[in-house]
Amino acid sequence: MIPGAGTLVNVATVLLGSGLGVLLGNRLPTRTRELVTDALGLVTLLIAATSAMEVLSPDLSDAVGSSAPMLVVLGAMLVGGIVGSTLRLEQRVEQLGAWLQRRLGGGPGPGDAAPDAAATDAAGPGGAAGERRRRFVEGFVVASLVFCTGPLTILGSLNDGLGNGADQLYLKSTLDFFAAIAFAASFGWGVAASVLTVVTVQGGLTLVGLALGDVLPDAQLAAITATGGLLLVGVALRLLRIREVAVADLLPALLVAPLLVTALAAYR
């Protein structure tokens, strides 16, 4: 198996799912698309809960002690949030989404519902274009975070690089296909643009797997999975329109978590 094949399949399924979702979204009323987004938020919350439960992993407890796993996740979120906020990652991701929207064209696409006259009058001449831009950027940001923060992304990409096969990425590709349909039905072509993030993140992790020569220890993987679960909670809150959590600013926590596990394990 050629390393990177899993990521290429994942990119293809996201693009195909996004295309189908845009076509479907054009045939759905606004209230139905909002309901689809709510359903995605609830499912994301369920996935987040199952991932976050890895904080109770016996491997993690054995490595850092029974009382430390929660502190590892807390420390990772705090330190990662400070680093991400300092680097303004959320702002940069949104700027990238806005740049892609401008490059790919700001005109209405097949998945963009026509605004009603009252909304256009209230928003002014630029209101419709501004709403399309907002939906594109939100679709890009949310889809990028959902597709790239789960445990299958990390473990699957690493194993792909290690030559252990891409079965996990193929499973992820199937899940992402259906998620892309639902996301694109609500947000439009911004979801398809998230393949750039998928290529960057999964491709980078595959290269890390090529360099490592061994799988990530179970304790470190459990810490990453639990931290990623909390990040997905933030994504779910955005989808449910409860709170606009700056999830991208928290992404460095995924790097901090295994480092904290290594440091605490060495201290013990």
Side-chain angles (χ1 to χ4, degrees):
M1 181 63 64
I2 301 174
T7 296
L8 293 178
V9 171
N10 203 169
V11 167
T13 56
V14 169
L15 289 175
L16 179 59
S18 298
L20 292 175
V22 169
L23 293 175
L24 177 63
N26 190 43
R27 293 165 173 77
L28 295 176
T30 300
R31 65 179 183 278
T32 303
R33 287 187 293 177
E34 290 179 349
L35 182 61
V36 169
T37 304
D38 290 341
L40 281 171
L42 293 173
V43 173
T44 301
L45 196 59
L46 176 61
I47 297 172
T50 58
S51 297
M53 289 300 292
E54 279 296 300
V55 74
L56 303 176
S57 168
D59 295 313
L60 183 56
S61 297
D62 292 342
V64 300
S66 58
S67 60
M70 291 288 185
L71 295 178
V72 168
V73 176
L74 174 61
M77 295 291 284
L78 292 177
V79 175
I82 292 172
V83 172
S85 179
T86 302
L87 296 176
R88 296 184 298 169
L89 294 182
E90 180 81 12
Q91 180 181 349
R92 296 181 191 279
V93 170
E94 291 180 351
Q95 288 174 344
L96 175 59
W99 179 82
L100 288 172
Q101 195 272 344
R102 291 193 300 270
R103 293 288 293 179
L104 296 174
D112 287 326
D116 57 41
T120 302
D121 291 340
E131 175 61 17
R132 287 194 298 272
R133 185 175 299 109
R134 185 196 66 79
R135 285 178 54 208
F136 186 100
V137 172
E138 185 69 7
F140 171 76
V141 172
V142 169
S144 295
L145 293 171
V146 170
F147 294 156
C148 295
T149 57
L152 286 176
T153 299
I154 300 166
L155 186 57
S157 299
L158 288 174
N159 280 330
D160 190 15
L162 292 166
N164 296 332
D167 292 346
Q168 290 167 318
L169 286 184
Y170 294 150
L171 172 61
K172 177 181 180 292
S173 298
T174 303
L175 299 174
D176 288 352
F177 170 72
F178 292 105
I181 294 175
F183 278 130
S186 297
F187 295 115
W189 286 113
V191 178
S194 68
V195 297
L196 296 177
T197 311
V198 173
V199 169
T200 301
V201 173
Q202 292 186 183
L205 288 172
T206 299
L207 292 176
V208 170
L210 284 170
L212 281 177
D214 197 3
V215 296
L216 194 69
D218 290 337
Q220 278 84 344
L221 180 61
I224 292 173
T225 302
T227 304
L230 285 184
L231 297 185
L232 286 177
V233 171
V235 175
L237 294 178
R238 293 179 69 142
L239 289 171
L240 294 170
R241 298 178 292 279
I242 295 175
R243 180 176 175 81
E244 291 290 320
V245 180
V247 180
D249 282 345
L250 295 169
L251 286 177
L254 295 173
L255 299 176
V256 176
L259 296 178
L260 289 178
V261 172
T262 301
L264 288 174
Y267 177 76
R268 292 186 72 214

